[in-house]
Amino acid sequence: MQYATQVQPISYLKANAAAVLARLSEQREPLLITQNGQAKAVLQDVASYEETQETLALLKILALGHQDAAAGKLKPLAEVEARLRARRSAA
């Protein structure tokens, strides 16, 4: 994703906060905020933030699974199926 068109100085944010928030919700593209010509923050709408957090959580679960597999912490499929069937019948 290119952020060149979504860069604004902090003074723009201060003067146009409501319009910036509306644009973030509408376009769902992050906005890079600069201060003294340097990138200082990224603003994004809540829905996009939540999607990002969910994606990161899934990636973390995947990485943990790979670590377990590399460490040999695996169980045979038949054993897992038997445990799940036992739980289902107990419930």
Side-chain angles (χ1 to χ4, degrees), residues 5-26:
T5 59
Q6 294 95 271
V7 177
Q8 294 291 342
I10 195 165
S11 58
Y12 178 83
L13 175 62
K14 289 177 184 178
N16 301 288
V20 166
L21 293 177
R23 189 179 112 208
L24 288 173
S25 293
E26 217 173 87

Side-chain angles (χ1 to χ4, degrees), residues 32-48:
L32 180 68
I33 300 298
T34 62
Q35 186 176 33
N36 299 323
Q38 294 184 323
K40 291 293 180 179
V42 176
L43 296 179
Q44 69 181 138
D45 64 288
V46 173
S48 295

